[in-house]
Amino acid sequence: MKDLARHIAACNNVPSPAGLVPFRIGAEQVGWLGPELARWLAFRPRDFHFDGQGVSLPAGLRGAAARERVLADAAKGLEKAGFLTLRDELFDVRATPEGAVLARLDRAAIPPFGIISQGAHLNGLVRRADGLHIWLGKRARDKAVAPGQWDNMVAGGCPAGLTPQETLIKEGSEEAGLPPELAGQARPAGRVSYIMRNDEGLRRDVLHVFDLELPEDFTPVPHDDEVEHFELWPAQRVLEAVRDGEDFKFNVNLVLIDLFLREGLVDAASTEGRRLRAGLAAGV
């Protein structure tokens, strides 16, 4: 039998910031740069200043709009240089999850700059006489990330200007045909976080978790091309699939482990439970 903790370890594969360069906006550190990106930015001395504390935007830039113009120009240059492919979707740039919005940046450039990204994930729950069941979505096979793997019923990154709950309502309608009035009943259940280095850069993700108790006669229906289909599984089957396999998107494993702990499928007071709970907060 495999260990649930391996999924948490896989999402937290950066033991220390050694070799990474701090990136600042004003006095606030907002990100971490890999050496290759830092070297690329060094050829833009008008826009990015290097000192003993790392890399920063020019102190003379006033206001978020001016900072965004510099960052947007850099992101376009990075696309031309082959670092990334722009997604034409802006995310807020903050020093902490609750901090002030200091700028906005194309979603594709968030991991290369090591900036915090936030998302909303929904556990669609059905409580039957034979126990808890969980709605899962099968990701489309042409998705760039985790194609064909299982996902939460609803999940998505928070675009600039939207709260996690607003993101949940938006994504619920687009991905699962979830009526806004039903999505609005979702209960905030906490958050999980991790710091993961991958081909995109450094993912410093905060996932806001919501639970929604759904009536037995509700069936989610894909309304875009991101989800192939939905299935309703007994919670024990989900636990066994996460524990023993690799069929779920990497960060969805963490959201489900959090649910297992809260629902008592894994004893939260046990040594394993305490270790898992600590690992789920290992990010920012």
Side-chain angles (χ1 to χ4, degrees):
M1 185 176 69
K2 295 184 179 179
D3 185 354
L4 289 170
R6 77 185 190 284
H7 295 302
I8 296 174
C11 287
N12 289 280
N13 62 0
V14 183
S16 81
L20 299 173
V21 180
F23 175 59
R24 305 188 317 277
I25 293 179
E28 303 266 25
Q29 183 182 339
V30 297
W32 293 94
L33 310 175
E36 190 176 0
L37 178 55
R39 284 193 294 270
W40 188 88
L41 296 177
F43 288 93
R44 291 175 167 244
R46 188 181 65 179
D47 294 335
F48 295 92
H49 293 177
F50 285 70
D51 58 28
Q53 295 179 298
V55 183
S56 65
L57 293 181
L61 288 176
R62 299 299 180 192
R67 295 190 287 266
E68 284 174 28
R69 283 194 294 270
V70 169
L71 289 171
D73 184 63
K76 290 176 184 175
L78 287 168
E79 183 177 49
K80 290 180 182 177
F83 278 89
L84 51 84
T85 300
L86 293 175
R87 308 253 316 249
D88 296 322
E89 182 180 12
L90 295 176
F91 273 24
D92 289 326
V93 176
R94 308 171 190 260
T96 66
E98 298 80 20
V101 177
L102 302 174
R104 298 180 302 170
L105 179 61
D106 190 276
R107 180 176 188 170
I110 295 291
F113 278 87
I115 292 168
I116 293 170
S117 173
Q118 301 192 61
H121 283 240
L122 177 70
N123 293 306
L125 307 177
V126 179
R127 298 188 190 274
R128 292 178 165 177
D130 59 345
L132 177 67
H133 290 62
I134 304 170
W135 278 108
L136 303 173
K138 187 79 162 180
R139 292 170 64 84
R141 297 179 190 278
D142 59 356
K143 291 280 288 182
V145 177
Q149 291 194 299
W150 290 106
D151 205 335
N152 290 116
M153 188 180 112
V154 175
C158 296
L162 291 190
T163 67
Q165 188 142 29
E166 290 167 341
T167 299
L168 182 69
I169 292 171
K170 169 182 171 291
E171 295 288 339
S173 175
E174 294 174 357
E175 291 184 356
L178 189 63
E181 60 273 17
L182 185 54
Q185 297 174 24
R187 183 179 70 254
R191 70 188 195 186
V192 302
S193 61
Y194 59 91
I195 302 177
M196 180 184 193
R197 192 199 302 266
N198 64 10
D199 292 342
E200 299 173 85
L202 191 69
R203 292 188 60 140
R204 299 170 59 213
D205 291 352
V206 176
L207 309 181
H208 298 266
V209 180
F210 294 82
D211 291 347
L212 178 60
E213 307 279 344
L214 290 164
E216 288 195 43
D217 61 356
F218 175 81
T219 300
V221 178
H223 276 217
D224 58 21
D225 58 0
E226 297 193 10
V227 180
E228 207 172 80
H229 67 276
F230 292 95
E231 292 185 12
L232 183 64
W233 288 16
Q236 185 62 35
R237 178 184 172 190
V238 180
L239 170 61
E240 292 168 1
V242 171
R243 184 191 63 205
D244 300 334
E246 305 294 338
D247 293 333
F248 286 78
K249 182 171 179 265
F250 61 93
N251 56 8
V252 172
N253 288 307
L254 275 57
V255 175
L256 291 170
I257 291 169
D258 169 74
L259 178 67
F260 302 153
L261 290 166
R262 291 188 288 105
E263 288 288 338
L265 287 117
V266 175
D267 183 1
S270 68
T271 299
E272 179 197 21
R274 293 195 301 271
R275 181 165 54 108
L276 291 171
R277 177 55 66 197
L280 294 173
V284 293

